[in-house]
Amino acid sequence: MMTTTRGALRVLLGDDHKIVREGLKMVLADDPQVQVVAEADTGPAVLDEVQKLQGPLGIDVVLLDIALPGMDGLDVLQVLRKSWPELPVLMLSTYPEKQYAVRCIKLGASGYLNKSTDPDELLAALHRVAAGGMHVTPATAEALASLVSLGRTKTGIELLSHREHQVYLLLTQGRTVSEIGAQLNLAPNTVSTYRARILEKTGTKNDVELALYAQSHGHGPGAPRN
């Protein structure tokens, strides 16, 4: 078990890539007031670590990736908000802020950062959310303002429900209906239904058009991955 420095800001890292976690630990080590007290590489493992450390009694901030195996970061976020509502969660992902930051904040995240963010901004964000604040980047603020603009109509990806959005992400990664069903614990017919809704809402007719649509919005095999 890690020894906690007295008065340190205690962070739980949730990311499925070990090299990313090691890199984050190096960045956080530059601030003597920040300490990584636990790490996890799957969604269920994040929840297990939070339970072990008794939520905010042992953790000050959860730094959470979106694309986690077993249970994605958005589902983990929802569980944390329900079970540990006072525990701040800062999302860190390669996905575009304009598409994902608002979704995360609406689900209860205290902030959203892209993995290309400057280390100093990451450290500042951790301190801010640990103190009970929100971290909103200019890109996120623009997306939030756009969302609440009078008379604005949602389009495309914004129309997707949380579950449809999960299926969409996996489809853009080239997963089959069966693979998606296994990962999300859904029947193949249910996944097919979600796929049909996704095609309708994005205005695409098949998987090829959906893949092109995804790439044009910064997703898919040709886009950055978590």
Side-chain angles (χ1 to χ4, degrees), residues 61-105:
V61 181
V62 176
L63 188 56
L64 187 64
D65 189 11
I66 289 180
L68 291 173
M71 186 184 208
D72 78 13
L74 296 181
D75 277 340
V76 172
L77 173 61
Q78 291 185 95
V79 173
L80 291 175
R81 291 282 60 78
K82 182 177 180 180
S83 302
W84 310 97
E86 65 277 33
L87 180 60
V89 179
L90 180 63
M91 306 301 292
L92 184 66
S93 172
T94 57
Y95 293 131
E97 284 183 67
K98 288 186 177 181
Q99 296 297 338
Y100 296 90
V102 171
R103 187 177 295 270
C104 289
I105 289 173

Side-chain angles (χ1 to χ4, degrees), residues 147-198:
L147 183 67
V148 300
S149 293
L150 185 61
R152 184 179 183 277
T153 302
K154 290 183 179 181
T155 59
I157 299 172
E158 295 173 341
L159 293 170
L160 302 181
S161 69
H162 174 54
R163 184 63 83 183
E164 289 167 354
H165 192 263
Q166 289 178 306
V167 173
Y168 165 78
L169 288 180
L170 294 172
L171 285 171
T172 62
Q173 293 171 18
R175 306 288 181 83
T176 66
V177 167
S178 297
E179 290 172 339
I180 294 172
Q183 180 163 337
L184 299 180
N185 196 27
L186 298 171
N189 287 344
T190 302
V191 176
S192 294
T193 298
Y194 283 127
R195 175 183 171 278
R197 293 177 186 171
I198 292 165

Side-chain angles (χ1 to χ4, degrees), residues 18-149:
K18 183 175 178 59
I19 192 170
V20 172
R21 297 197 306 275
E22 293 301 320
L24 286 171
K25 285 190 286 188
M26 290 178 64
V27 169
L28 301 186
D30 287 338
D31 187 335
Q33 294 303 311
V34 175
Q35 185 167 5
V36 176
V37 294
E39 56 185 286
D41 58 3
T42 69
V46 170
L47 297 177
D48 286 345
E49 290 296 332
V50 172
Q51 184 67 39
K52 289 178 187 176
L53 293 168
Q54 301 180 65
L57 292 180
I59 306 168
D60 296 306
V61 181
V62 176
L63 188 56
L64 187 64
D65 189 11
I66 289 180
L68 291 173
M71 186 184 208
D72 78 13
L74 296 181
D75 277 340
V76 172
L77 173 61
Q78 291 185 95
V79 173
L80 291 175
R81 291 282 60 78
K82 182 177 180 180
S83 302
W84 310 97
E86 65 277 33
L87 180 60
V89 179
L90 180 63
M91 306 301 292
L92 184 66
S93 172
T94 57
Y95 293 131
E97 284 183 67
K98 288 186 177 181
Q99 296 297 338
Y100 296 90
V102 171
R103 187 177 295 270
C104 289
I105 289 173
K106 287 173 68 176
L107 290 174
S110 296
Y112 182 100
L113 288 173
N114 191 278
K115 287 183 178 177
S116 63
T117 194
D118 185 84
D120 288 339
E121 182 177 4
L122 171 59
L123 289 167
L126 285 170
H127 284 285
R128 185 172 295 115
V129 302
M134 293 284 296
H135 183 79
V136 180
T137 65
T140 299
E142 181 181 349
L144 286 167
S146 179
L147 183 67
V148 300
S149 293

